[in-house]
């Protein structure tokens, strides 16, 4: 299904945003409701379910935190995320230096965290049961941890030298966090430890001479602005402005040296890319100019480019129940990429007339009417 993803002619996502879309998230409980955040501070909640009974339908916006809303973000919303365990709460962070915790039913903020600098990224652990920490990456080199239970943001992780552009909790261990910075470094932390940092990823796997200490322990030769764990948490993908994507063993911190070729990345801020779920092999979906590139994660093969947006793609999100993809762009559109249905064979052409290679073996009829059959 992933290999046959195409722009769906029958499904539209209602167009609400009047400016670029920076971030999307689909809630993991039902996989039905999607959040979007825009450059104008607007947040929209969509229902992806088809209620029309017809194959041709529009995913409706259920509610909007619009420009006239008293609690709307004043500047660009960079990240939105559903609370991982139910749809009653979601979070948003913005260039207005705030992280807001929203009650979905009232569309009012239950809590607001203020920071000294622009907020580039935040993330809640998808697997945590013992803590409610939101990791926040800002213009400061310090990673902030906000506790939803106490409402305080006391915990700080120190180690980066420049702004933190992306943060991501492990999908396997609830206390393990990865952070990416403009200093070219990616750090893995155990937030229970006083010293915090478990390792700093090194693209050269320790083989570069220690004389050039500057080059040591950088993940990319440029700003690192994208992070994504694989679903089993065993590997971490990173993207940098050196036009490279790297795959790391998240236990050893080793660069696996998978070569994805040039992964064009001109984003000055965080880049929101994603990976497939319940697929074998696994795929990465990466905004690439006005297209979305699909790579096989473990071989680095570029499978295809999805074309349909008119301007830079900023984010994409995977819907694992149906292997669908949604993407948001500077062109103000959200596009739905749906696996193509197999073309029905027209009545006047029986399948016997088709050359055999046109039939996927999975669709071939193995039944035989012969006596021996």
């Amino acid at each position: 299904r992933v290999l046959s993803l195409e722009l769906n002619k029958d499904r539209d996502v209602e167009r609400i945003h009047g400016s670029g879309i920076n971030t999307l998230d689909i809630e993991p409980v039902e996989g039905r409701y999607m959040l979007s955040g825009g450059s104008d501070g607007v947040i929209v909640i969509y229902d992806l379910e088809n209620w029309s009974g017809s194959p041709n339908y529009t995913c409706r916006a259920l509610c909007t935190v619009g420009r006239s809303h008293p609690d709307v973000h004043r500047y660009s919303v960079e990240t939105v995320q559903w609370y991982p365990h139910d749809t009653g709460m979601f979070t948003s962070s913005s260039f207005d230096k705030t992280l807001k915790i929203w009650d979905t039913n009232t569309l009012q903020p239950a809590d607001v965290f203020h920071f000294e600098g622009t907020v580039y990224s935040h993330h809640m652990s998808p697997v945590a049961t013992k803590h409610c920490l939101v990791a926040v990456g800002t213009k400061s080199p310090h990673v902030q941890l906000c506790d939803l239970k106490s409402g305080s943001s006391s915990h700080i992780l120190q180690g980066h030298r420049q702004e933190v552009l992306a943060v991501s909790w492990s999908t396997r261990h609830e206390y393990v966090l990865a952070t990416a910075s403009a200093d070219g470094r990616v750090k893995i932390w155990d937030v229970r430890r006083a010293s915090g940092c478990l390792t700093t990823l090194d693209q050269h796997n320790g083989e570069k001479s220690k004389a050039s200490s500057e080059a040591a322990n950088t993940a990319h030769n440029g700003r690192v602005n994208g992070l994504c764990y694989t679903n089993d948490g065993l590997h971490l993908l990173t993207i940098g402005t050196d036009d490279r994507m790297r795959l790391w063993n998240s236990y050893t911190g080793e660069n696996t040296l998978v070569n994805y070729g040039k992964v064009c990345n001109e984003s000055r801020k965080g880049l929101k890319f994603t990976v497939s779920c319940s697929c074998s092999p696994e795929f990465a979906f990466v905004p690439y100019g006005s297209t979305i590139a699909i790579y096989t994660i473990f071989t680095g093969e570029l499978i295809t480019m999805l074309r349909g947006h008119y301007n830079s793609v900023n984010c994409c999100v995977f819907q694992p129940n149906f292997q669908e993809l949604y993407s948001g762009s500077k062109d103000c559109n959200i596009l739905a990429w749906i696996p193509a249905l197999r073309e029905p064979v027209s009545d006047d052409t029986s399948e016997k007339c088709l050359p055999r290679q046109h039939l996927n073996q999975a669709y071939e009829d193995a039944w035989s009417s012969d006596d021996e059959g």
Side-chain angles (χ1 to χ4, degrees):
R1 286 173 68 85
V2 170
L3 294 178
S4 65
L5 280 175
E6 64 177 28
L7 187 58
N8 192 295
K9 320 262 188 313
D10 297 323
R11 185 179 316 183
D12 281 325
V13 180
E14 191 175 349
R15 186 169 165 158
I16 301 288
H17 288 281
S19 66
I21 294 152
N22 296 326
T23 171
L24 295 171
D25 191 42
I26 295 175
E27 45 85 15
V29 183
E30 293 178 77
R32 175 177 160 184
Y33 299 106
M34 181 169 73
L35 281 166
S36 65
S39 304
D40 52 2
V42 170
I43 299 169
V44 185
I45 300 178
Y46 301 91
D47 186 349
L48 302 180
E49 193 113 331
N50 182 3
W51 292 103
S52 69
S54 113
N56 193 311
Y57 75 103
T58 299
C59 300
R60 294 280 168 213
L62 294 179
C63 48
T64 304
V65 180
R67 291 307 312 158
S68 58
H69 191 288
D71 299 298
V72 67
H73 281 290
R74 285 180 303 138
Y75 303 125
S76 175
V77 173
E78 291 300 303
T79 313
V80 289
Q81 189 190 0
W82 287 103
Y83 179 61
H85 306 296
D86 71 61
T87 53
M89 186 166 89
F90 67 89
T91 53
S92 63
S93 59
S94 160
F95 277 180
D96 67 9
K97 307 179 184 177
T98 64
L99 163 72
K100 296 189 178 184
I101 317 300
W102 298 85
D103 179 321
T104 312
N105 298 311
T106 63
L107 231 54
Q108 302 295 322
D111 210 343
V112 181
F113 294 90
H114 296 270
F115 303 93
E116 289 187 359
T118 301
V119 183
Y120 288 105
S121 170
H122 79 270
H123 193 230
M124 285 178 284
S125 167
V127 295
T129 54
K130 299 186 183 71
H131 73 75
C132 283
L133 296 173
V134 186
V136 185
T138 70
K139 215 168 179 66
S140 154
H142 303 329
V143 180
Q144 310 259 355
L145 297 180
C146 300
D147 191 342
L148 295 187
K149 282 202 179 106
S150 68
S152 71
S153 53
S154 53
H155 208 104
I156 286 176
L157 304 175
Q158 300 187 20
H160 283 298
R161 297 175 188 176
Q162 292 181 44
E163 52 200 0
V164 178
L165 299 172
V167 294
S168 180
W169 291 96
S170 162
T171 46
R172 178 172 282 250
H173 297 292
E174 64 176 293
Y175 292 106
V176 173
L177 173 71
T179 59
S181 166
D183 62 11
R185 289 173 172 78
V186 172
K187 291 181 176 287
I188 311 285
W189 315 78
D190 181 332
V191 298
R192 293 169 299 185
R193 291 164 47 134
S195 58
C197 188
L198 292 173
T199 184
T200 302
L201 300 183
D202 176 15
Q203 60 182 307
H204 305 293
N205 288 333
E207 285 170 20
K208 197 138 175 128
S209 88
K210 287 289 175 268
S212 58
S213 59
E214 263 312 291
N217 281 28
T218 55
H220 289 266
N221 301 325
R223 299 152 63 88
V224 192
N225 59 352
L227 284 178
C228 191
Y229 274 97
T230 55
N231 288 289
D232 58 13
L234 299 178
H235 291 87
L236 176 69
L237 277 164
T238 62
I239 285 184
T241 54
D242 55 359
D243 291 340
R244 288 281 175 265
M245 181 158 73
R246 297 206 162 93
L247 180 71
W248 309 82
N249 179 315
S250 60
Y251 274 83
T252 63
E254 190 179 6
N255 180 359
T256 62
L257 304 177
V258 173
N259 182 7
Y260 299 96
K262 181 180 177 181
V263 182
C264 185
N265 172 9
E266 293 168 355
S267 176
R268 300 302 304 149
K269 46 191 190 179
L271 189 73
K272 311 284 194 296
F273 70 108
T274 191
V275 295
S276 63
C277 182
S278 326
C279 293
S280 180
E282 287 194 65
F283 301 95
F285 306 96
V286 184
Y288 195 113
S290 63
T291 67
I292 300 144
I294 303 183
Y295 297 91
T296 49
I297 290 180
F298 295 105
T299 64
E301 185 186 353
L302 174 60
I303 298 293
T304 187
M305 307 280 265
L306 302 179
R307 301 176 197 280
H309 283 290
Y310 302 113
N311 207 326
S312 306
V313 178
N314 292 327
C315 54
C316 50
V317 64
F318 191 67
Q319 209 288 20
N321 303 359
F322 305 110
Q323 275 80 43
E324 299 169 349
L325 188 74
Y326 292 84
S327 58
S329 160
K330 231 182 192 165
D331 64 12
C332 310
N333 290 320
I334 298 173
L335 298 183
W337 308 87
I338 314 294
L341 292 170
R342 177 171 163 254
E343 287 297 314
V345 179
S346 58
D347 295 339
D348 55 340
T349 320
S350 79
E351 290 194 351
K352 292 190 181 66
C353 307
L354 286 173
R356 283 197 73 75
Q357 67 268 25
H358 283 200
L359 272 177
N360 182 324
Q361 284 182 325
Y363 301 129
E364 284 189 30
D365 190 350
W367 181 79
S368 165
S369 58
D370 301 350
D371 292 339
E372 311 86 62

